[in-house]
Amino acid sequence: MAAAPLRCSSVLITGCSRGLGLGLVKGLAEAPNSPDLIIATCRQPEAAQELQELSKRYHNIRILLLDIVSEESRQKLVKEVGELVGAQGLNCLINNAGRNISASLDNVTAETMLQVYETNTVAQLMMTKAFLPLLKQAAKQSSGMGWHRALIVNVSSISASIQLVQEKEIFLMVYPYRISKTALNMLTKCLAADLKEDGILCISLHPGWLQTDMGGKQVSDLTQTETAPWYPEPDGEKAPMKVEESVPSIVSLLARLGEKDNGCFLDWKGNTIPW
Ligand SMILES: NC(=O)c1ccc[n+]([C@@H]2O[C@H](COP(=O)([O-])OP(=O)(O)OC[C@H]3O[C@@H](n4cnc5c(N)ncnc54)[C@H](OP(=O)(O)O)[C@@H]3O)[C@@H](O)[C@H]2O)c1
């Protein structure tokens, strides 16, 4: 009989007001191996109605305020989370919050490049740095590698893959976004190498092309150019997958991750994506 997967006690997710972040909170709360503590962070907790509803249904969800680009906000959160997790530390940090400003080669500006880079790359590094003491504290409590010990998930995108770039594909319209996510992937590799000794695992995750505000509830704009052959076709006017279709696979993947996955770029099912 296969051994039961090891449990994660505490997880922190950024960007839980909507989209994938909200879906992950729900998926983790509903999972049979649900963590004892799900810290769902967002910029405006009082306005995050669905998240508030979820936290009333599941006792293990705690909503805390976080703007990932603010050092003051990050430091305040570290203190609050430290008090919640105590000596056990934090097992899993999911750097999910992100933004996209569509810009092709014709209309990309230095300003849009920097705005997207700040949120999708710099803030993820600073979040990780801020939470390292709590992740290291958790890593000291057990052995092996995985979310039962300490795990950092950087939510990336298949559009960040350098090897998959092709002529006339849709992501040629999102220069700032894909470049910021490629840099995020480098962050994953650096962290994986740097933190291996501490027993902290780090991966980049492509969650699938999802029907969210970012992924496109309407993708008619995106389909003006050809979709790349490696990318699923949009479902009519929408992105091909619902958040609820991707999340159970992600939750199952998180529980299966081990040392072999450290520094890898995986999709929601666990398939390796070329860099
Ligand atoms: N959807 C897709 O097809 C797809 C594909 C590949 C990768 N991804 C990645 O998946 C992640 C989630 O995307 P999504 O589709 O769920 O996007 P979304 O629906 O646009 O949601 C983005 C989330 O990020 C939050 N956020 C943005 N800037 C923030 C900041 N400075 N501080 C805190 N939170 C901030 C937003 O909060 P507010 O509500 O406060 O704005 C929102 O909760 C992103 O990293 C994205 O790049 C998505």
Side-chain angles (χ1 to χ4, degrees), residues 205-226:
L205 174 76
H206 167 61
W209 187 4
L210 306 175
Q211 293 168 16
T212 63
D213 292 336
M214 189 189 297
K217 288 170 180 158
Q218 295 290 319
V219 292
S220 42
D221 290 345
L222 294 180
T223 51
Q224 281 168 10
T225 50
E226 277 176 40

Side-chain angles (χ1 to χ4, degrees), residues 222-266:
L222 294 180
T223 51
Q224 281 168 10
T225 50
E226 277 176 40
T227 25
W230 42 263
Y231 216 71
E233 287 292 326
D235 172 12
E237 285 297 291
K238 295 196 270 331
M241 230 191 331
K242 292 192 171 79
V243 169
E244 309 85 90
E245 292 172 72
S246 163
V247 162
S249 302
I250 294 176
V251 172
S252 150
L253 172 67
L254 296 181
R256 294 197 308 273
L257 291 173
E259 189 172 351
K260 65 178 189 334
D261 304 302
N262 194 30
C264 286
F265 185 14
L266 303 174

Side-chain angles (χ1 to χ4, degrees), residues 145-274:
M145 276 190 126
W147 82 334
H148 67 283
R149 191 174 183 197
L151 168 67
I152 300 162
V153 178
N154 289 326
V155 180
S156 182
S157 163
I158 199 167
S159 68
S161 168
I162 291 174
Q163 275 166 263
L164 294 178
V165 177
Q166 299 191 19
E167 286 175 36
K168 295 184 183 172
E169 44 103 327
I170 53 171
F171 296 122
L172 292 174
M173 290 187 296
V174 290
Y175 268 64
Y177 178 77
R178 73 186 317 181
I179 294 170
S180 70
K181 293 287 187 180
T182 305
L184 179 69
N185 283 349
M186 177 57 91
L187 172 62
T188 295
K189 276 303 225 191
C190 293
L191 291 172
D194 237 348
L195 301 175
K196 191 175 172 204
E197 286 274 290
D198 294 299
I200 301 174
L201 182 69
C202 185
I203 64 154
S204 273
L205 174 76
H206 167 61
W209 187 4
L210 306 175
Q211 293 168 16
T212 63
D213 292 336
M214 189 189 297
K217 288 170 180 158
Q218 295 290 319
V219 292
S220 42
D221 290 345
L222 294 180
T223 51
Q224 281 168 10
T225 50
E226 277 176 40
T227 25
W230 42 263
Y231 216 71
E233 287 292 326
D235 172 12
E237 285 297 291
K238 295 196 270 331
M241 230 191 331
K242 292 192 171 79
V243 169
E244 309 85 90
E245 292 172 72
S246 163
V247 162
S249 302
I250 294 176
V251 172
S252 150
L253 172 67
L254 296 181
R256 294 197 308 273
L257 291 173
E259 189 172 351
K260 65 178 189 334
D261 304 302
N262 194 30
C264 286
F265 185 14
L266 303 174
D267 74 6
W268 69 103
K269 288 181 181 159
N271 299 312
T272 298
I273 297 177

Side-chain angles (χ1 to χ4, degrees), residues 11-13 16 37-41 62 64 77 81 84-85 90:
V11 55
L12 187 154
I13 309 164
C16 299
L37 179 62
I38 301 168
I39 302 164
T41 67
R62 286 295 296 265
L64 293 176
L77 181 73
V81 173
L84 282 176
V85 297
L90 177 70

Side-chain angles (χ1 to χ4, degrees), residues 10-12 39 81 85 88-93 131 134-135 138:
S10 56
V11 55
L12 187 154
I39 302 164
V81 173
V85 297
Q88 294 305 307
L90 177 70
N91 294 118
C92 179
L93 169 65
F131 280 90
L134 292 178
L135 289 163

